């Protein structure tokens, strides 16, 4: 059974930093892409950052220049370095891993990030 487990969430003051980690288990195939999404109450999940196996990345406009996504292909792990955090970054952050482009992939259980003023 494939599992993605996130860690690293928590409470931080505005302007601070957090690093989220996501590690996959139950799978030996390298993910085509790994990404981070976030969701706030009453809203759908939005893409925050994504990285494909070749290393190409894309970011939501709201986090460009502040967040950095990276991955360890050997561990099937992904990371999200979040700097200059803002209260509007408060959300549940989910890790996603896709074996192929255009598929839903696998999701982690989510980790809470709260940014206070």
């Amino acid at each position: 059974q494939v599992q993605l487990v996130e860690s690293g969430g928590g409470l931080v003051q505005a302007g601070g930093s957090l690093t989220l980690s996501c590690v996959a288990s139950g799978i030996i195939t390298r993910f085509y892409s790994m990404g981070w999404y976030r969701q706030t109450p009453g809203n759908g999940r939005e893409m925050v950052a994504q990285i494909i196996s070749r290393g190409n990345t894309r970011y939501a406009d709201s986090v460009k220049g502040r967040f950095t996504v990276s991955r360890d292909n050997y561990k099937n792990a992904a990371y999200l370095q979040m700097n200059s955090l803002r209260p509007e970054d408060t959300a549940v952050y989910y890790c996603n891993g896709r074996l192929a482009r255009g598929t839903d992939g696998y999701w982690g259980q989510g980790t809470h990030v709260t940014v206070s003023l």
Side-chain angles (χ1 to χ4, degrees):
Q1 183 179 358
V2 179
Q3 284 188 315
L4 299 180
V5 179
E6 302 102 332
S7 62
L11 173 64
V12 64
Q13 285 189 325
S17 299
L18 281 175
T19 301
L20 304 183
S21 300
C22 171
V23 180
S25 62
I27 183 170
I28 60 173
T29 303
R30 184 179 303 173
F31 285 119
Y32 163 75
S33 70
M34 297 190 77
W36 292 93
Y37 292 70
R38 64 188 181 188
Q39 187 171 21
T40 53
N43 296 305
R45 288 183 190 180
E46 63 166 348
M47 191 279 295
V48 175
Q50 189 176 42
I51 182 167
I52 65 173
S53 57
R54 292 174 295 176
N56 293 351
T57 58
R58 64 184 185 117
Y59 296 91
D61 288 343
S62 59
V63 307
K64 283 180 181 177
R66 301 188 297 122
F67 290 11
T68 302
V69 63
S70 61
R71 65 184 292 176
D72 183 330
N73 288 329
Y74 295 100
K75 296 181 180 179
N76 250 348
Y79 309 93
L80 186 67
Q81 174 67 44
M82 304 186 293
N83 298 325
S84 302
L85 282 161
R86 305 167 181 168
E88 53 264 39
D89 295 318
T90 295
V92 179
Y93 284 71
Y94 296 90
C95 177
N96 172 265
R98 290 185 171 92
L99 293 175
R101 187 177 181 179
T103 59
D104 289 339
Y106 301 91
W107 293 92
Q109 81 289 350
T111 185
H112 290 258
V113 171
T114 302
V115 184
S116 63
L117 288 170

